[in-house]
Amino acid sequence: MSDEEELFSAVDALLEQAVRDPLPEPAERKRLREAAGLTQDQVAGALQTRREAVGNWEAGRTEPRPPKRAAYARLLEGLAARFPAPGPIGNTSTAGAGPTATPAREAAAQTSAPHTAPAPHTAPAPAAAPRPAATSRPASTSRRPGAKTAAPGKTTAAVAVDPRFAHGPLAVIDVGADRKVVAYCTGGLVLDVPAKSIPALVDWTLQEAKLGQPKLSGPGKDADPLLVLTESALERYGLPTTLTEEERLAGRLPEGHKVIKQLARAEWKLTKRGFGPWARIYRPAKGSERACVQLCIPSWHALDSRHWGTAAQLPPAELARVLGAYASRVMTPCGSTAVTGLELMTALHPPTRASAPHADGTRHSEHNPGSLGKDPVDPAPCEAPDGHPLLADLPRFHIRGPGEKLLEEAYDWARPMTDAECTLRHLVGIDVNMAFAAGANGLIVGLGASTHVKAPVFDPKLPGSWLVDLSHVDLSRVKVGKDMWADLDAGLLPSPFTPKGERPDGPAWYATPTVAYAVELGYDVAPIEAYVRYDNGRYLDAWYQRLRDAYLATMADLGVDADLAPADFLAAMDGYQERDPQLAIVVSAIKATVKGGLGKLRERPRGEGWRPGEPWRALARPTWRPDIRAAVISRTRINLHRKIVKHAAFTGQYPVAILSDCVVYAANGESPLDFLPYRDGKPLPGGFKLGINPGLVKHEGTQTVLWGEGVREQFDAPDLNLARYIKDGTVTDADNGE
């Protein structure tokens, strides 16, 4: 080929590419991916490229080249059809079928107050829609011809535009002023609901509503559609707007309620938790086809105000926006944030998968590698909480000490201030972002049962529980780098080995990260015995990545980006919740999902007539794993202590108080920048760094040293934990047991 022919061929290819593979603007590429709840890793996996390449495409630094450009363009085109840019209601119908605009709807949209948009540099989550006077019925929900199911482990445009879920993961059911029942979906879409009863509502949801969410992993299951019932909807369908005290304690309606009888006559079933704040209505699955609808009832306290703020009081369209943003970025809520956090682990690592086809083409269910399996495993005796059946033979009032019980918990430590610290003006609190999520990232945990070994050689890569004496570890001289030791004032530091910061006085049980840190500090360890897990893996990585991406995307919508300079970050965090209070609720729920999900790994009995020594319901779950919870907490506490030691070694500053992931220092200024050792905008390596990423820190609050000393004097407690009150300075008698 001549030089001229080669040039002409290249130009022709470029022209064809420009025509056939147009791409939206970089910001729109990012919006579409986040709207679908996809991570950059998932997109990169589907396109067989690196995650960094996807990030560069979304930032506009580079453009994809053929053949990946065509595939990327197809993905974005499919996502654009499924997740159109937020606009006036009446222009929100999606590909497939859906309601069309009506004059009444357009009039309602024009007369409604405008919604406050999030920070302009990022695309907002689905905007709240005004309530229309009337809506049209949705069209048929038949599957679009040619739609294909993605191969396990891959994400394609076909999954994102699955017509079964064309209207999003959930809907808020409400009764309008005209007494018509309507469903507020995500993206501002509103549907008429013809159902006259709860059984009819379930049928409509499964047959016409096009609600649900695609599975998060290849062997997993699609998320069931979620219906959120407002008080007016409860009245319309014959349900109480609030539960009686007896019903609230039972967590459900009585079996004789008329609505439960209606469901039984229509051959619908309820799960064991019955018809409560989070009710699941289903028929037994036939093959791979599921028939199940989840109900959420805010007025029955389904949305805990500690985690969901004022979500339960929001108008229907705004509530749909909040829950829809959470669903698209985390998963469709299926209970409390704790329940959802645990279910997310299973959704990302289902216990079983389909086997390779047999000679006759059939398959069977088999263990999914990397999962916890479908059968529960017993903990090691030291990992079992008090009252567990494994401990039934212990004397009734026996109290297990550190040599019998694994006690890995978060910090609750404080000390009196030194004379030098009392001459400073302020107490400044810093808080680790998503600390427990960061502790889960990259952590190797056991997947199966433990093996008991005597006098083992410690292996920092082997998850388990170790009985070892760490009382010889002296914090006055520790290793802070390769061949680098530091002399510290051990009296001003908490021990890394106990939640209260007390130095251990003999053998005790510890999780692997705690023992590994003793070795890192430069000390030898000699375990007496251990329960180790040879079947292990990084089970929580995908869980961490999903929640990290959800948190960062929502914070970016609120104007707090991950690449801000320290001063800009502190400014962006100041009042970020007021920029979009609805998205601030989503941030709170995401953080609660992390802590609650980990807490569920060691769920305790919840009434039900339980007595010590008897099994309780949670023990039947393969996800009841106190050893995994202990490992995450251990690593989180050690991560924090490592930063504290580095900070002390290079600045001579020591913490005054620590509570979980909050650390308080005395300083002359009110800002973290007044004591964090930034040089030319760069933080101390291995120390605290300001930023929004999990594991980095933000400003928790500042009070005066006089305030701190006054509070401690008031309660006659020189070591009162001031980290508990540093945020706003409010202290009550109830906080101190009075």
Side-chain angles (χ1 to χ4, degrees):
M1 180 182 292
S2 67
D3 291 344
E4 184 179 55
E5 289 174 335
E6 187 174 67
L7 290 172
F8 275 57
S9 296
V11 170
D12 289 342
L14 189 63
L15 289 171
E16 183 179 4
Q17 173 184 301
V19 173
R20 294 181 57 187
D21 304 327
L23 296 175
E25 292 298 314
E28 177 65 3
R29 301 171 197 175
K30 180 181 179 181
R31 185 195 73 80
L32 290 170
R33 175 181 59 78
E34 292 178 346
L38 302 176
T39 66
Q40 290 181 348
D41 287 317
Q42 289 175 301
V43 174
L47 299 179
Q48 299 180 5
T49 188
R50 297 180 302 113
R51 180 186 64 80
E52 292 79 8
V54 177
N56 288 334
W57 300 344
E58 292 182 351
R61 289 188 286 267
T62 61
E63 291 292 311
R65 297 183 177 182
K68 292 181 175 60
R69 183 183 178 93
Y72 189 46
R74 178 171 177 168
L75 170 65
L76 295 174
E77 181 182 3
L79 294 178
R82 172 66 179 83
F83 302 100
I89 196 164
N91 297 324
T92 56
S93 59
T94 58
T100 57
T102 66
R105 173 181 293 182
E106 292 174 352
Q110 292 170 0
T111 58
S112 176
H115 179 74
T116 302
H121 69 288
T122 57
R131 181 182 301 182
T135 58
S136 58
R137 289 286 303 279
S140 170
T141 58
S142 59
R143 178 185 288 271
R144 184 176 63 188
K148 297 180 180 179
T149 301
K154 292 189 177 183
T155 303
T156 67
V159 173
V161 296
D162 190 326
R164 296 174 301 162
F165 312 129
H167 297 151
L170 55 89
V172 178
I173 308 300
D174 188 47
V175 179
D178 55 3
R179 304 302 299 161
K180 289 185 178 180
V181 181
V182 291
Y184 290 85
C185 306
T186 57
L189 182 67
V190 183
L191 307 177
D192 269 337
V193 180
K196 305 296 184 184
S197 65
I198 290 294
L201 180 64
V202 174
D203 285 327
W204 172 81
T205 302
L206 295 172
Q207 296 172 15
E208 297 186 56
K210 293 186 178 181
L211 296 174
Q213 191 174 35
K215 58 189 177 183
L216 296 180
S217 66
K221 300 175 182 177
D222 296 328
D224 298 318
L226 173 66
L227 299 181
V228 184
L229 304 183
T230 66
E231 292 189 27
S232 61
L234 293 173
E235 293 176 344
R236 171 62 64 91
Y237 290 120
L239 292 165
T241 56
T242 59
L243 297 177
T244 65
E245 182 65 16
E246 183 179 356
E247 292 167 346
R248 187 187 64 79
L249 293 174
R252 66 185 72 193
L253 292 178
E255 293 298 320
H257 194 279
K258 63 179 181 180
V259 170
I260 297 179
K261 292 181 179 179
Q262 290 173 1
L263 290 168
R265 286 194 296 269
E267 299 183 345
W268 289 106
K269 297 180 179 293
L270 291 164
T271 57
K272 289 183 178 180
R273 61 183 175 184
F275 205 121
W278 290 93
R280 191 178 293 275
I281 303 171
Y282 73 99
R283 286 188 180 126
K286 296 180 180 179
S288 61
E289 294 296 323
R290 288 169 58 84
C292 185
V293 172
Q294 175 92 40
L295 300 185
C296 168
I297 306 177
S299 66
W300 294 4
H301 304 292
L303 301 175
D304 191 327
S305 60
R306 294 172 298 175
H307 309 140
W308 289 101
T310 59
Q313 285 76 49
L314 291 175
E318 296 178 13
L319 180 57
R321 179 188 181 231
V322 168
L323 294 178
Y326 178 90
S328 67
R329 291 173 176 177
V330 180
M331 68 179 294
T332 304
C334 50
S336 67
T337 50
V339 169
T340 304
L342 193 69
E343 288 296 319
L344 180 62
M345 297 180 195
T346 303
L348 293 166
H349 284 291
T352 60
R353 68 178 184 182
S355 68
H358 302 300
D360 60 358
T362 61
R363 300 172 184 262
H364 68 273
S365 177
E366 65 179 14
H367 173 70
N368 183 28
S371 75
L372 298 181
K374 62 180 182 179
D375 298 316
V377 297
D378 283 335
C382 62
E383 297 163 351
D386 294 337
H388 191 279
L390 285 177
L391 310 175
D393 293 336
L394 289 178
R396 183 175 179 184
F397 297 106
H398 177 73
I399 298 177
R400 294 188 294 161
E404 299 175 275
K405 181 179 181 179
L406 177 69
L407 185 63
E408 294 284 11
E409 298 294 344
Y411 268 130
D412 185 355
W413 170 88
R415 63 170 175 82
M417 282 186 275
T418 65
D419 292 342
E421 288 167 340
C422 287
T423 65
L424 302 177
R425 298 177 61 189
H426 296 98
L427 295 171
V428 184
I430 53 177
D431 180 78
V432 181
N433 296 314
M434 300 271 282
F436 294 100
N441 182 30
L443 179 64
I444 300 175
V445 300
L447 301 177
S450 64
T451 300
H452 186 214
V453 291
K454 289 283 190 178
V457 176
F458 177 68
D459 182 352
K461 296 182 179 179
L462 188 59
S465 300
W466 309 77
L467 181 62
V468 58
D469 188 350
L470 299 180
S471 60
H472 64 290
V473 177
D474 185 2
L475 293 182
S476 62
R477 183 162 178 78
V478 297
K479 198 173 184 179
V480 293
K482 186 177 181 181
D483 300 325
M484 184 184 298
W485 290 75
D487 294 321
L488 304 175
D489 188 339
L492 301 180
L493 285 171
S495 167
F497 309 128
T498 61
K500 292 292 185 180
E502 302 162 343
R503 185 170 178 170
D505 57 6
W509 286 99
Y510 303 102
T512 297
T514 301
V515 185
Y517 186 56
V519 176
E520 179 185 326
L521 291 175
Y523 293 87
D524 295 329
V525 297
I528 301 168
E529 61 177 304
Y531 290 89
V532 296
R533 290 173 170 82
Y534 296 108
D535 178 15
N536 55 64
R538 293 167 59 159
Y539 173 72
L540 294 172
D541 273 13
W543 183 80
Y544 160 77
Q545 290 162 8
R546 180 80 177 173
L547 290 164
R548 173 204 63 192
D549 290 349
Y551 177 68
L552 292 181
T554 311
M555 289 303 295
D557 286 344
L558 287 164
V560 186
D561 290 316
D563 55 356
L564 294 173
D568 294 336
F569 167 71
L570 292 174
M573 286 295 294
D574 187 18
Y576 77 92
Q577 296 170 316
E578 283 71 39
R579 293 177 199 140
D580 190 327
Q582 293 174 20
L583 286 186
I585 292 174
V586 178
V587 170
S588 173
I590 292 170
K591 292 193 289 187
T593 303
V594 173
K595 290 188 177 181
L598 293 172
K600 278 283 184 180
L601 291 170
R602 199 192 68 162
E603 183 177 359
R604 302 289 286 130
R606 304 179 67 182
E608 303 172 350
W610 174 81
R611 293 181 179 179
E614 297 177 348
W616 58 92
R617 184 182 301 180
L619 301 188
R621 296 194 319 252
T623 50
W624 192 84
R625 293 295 301 272
D627 58 298
I628 296 179
R629 173 187 177 274
V632 173
I633 293 176
S634 163
R635 192 164 187 246
T636 303
R637 192 183 66 246
I638 294 307
N639 284 347
L640 183 60
H641 196 274
R642 184 183 292 111
K643 290 180 172 63
I644 290 170
V645 165
K646 285 286 181 70
H647 187 85
F650 288 92
T651 69
Q653 298 170 333
Y654 295 83
V656 171
I658 310 172
L659 183 67
S660 187
D661 47 11
C662 176
V663 188
V664 176
Y665 283 91
N668 264 327
E670 300 182 22
S671 167
L673 288 175
D674 290 315
F675 70 92
L676 293 182
Y678 272 85
R679 295 180 181 176
D680 300 324
K682 296 182 179 180
L684 172 69
F688 295 108
K689 179 182 178 181
L690 290 166
I692 199 58
N693 276 294
L696 306 188
V697 300
K698 62 180 182 292
H699 184 205
E700 178 70 2
T702 296
Q703 305 297 328
T704 65
V705 168
L706 289 177
W707 164 86
E709 288 297 276
V711 168
R712 286 177 165 179
E713 183 177 344
Q714 176 185 350
F715 293 102
D716 193 22
D719 57 354
L720 181 72
N721 195 332
L722 300 175
R724 192 181 306 275
Y725 319 107
I726 195 69
K727 189 167 188 175
D728 61 11
T730 302
V731 185
T732 65
D733 290 346
D735 292 328
N736 297 280
E738 297 188 12

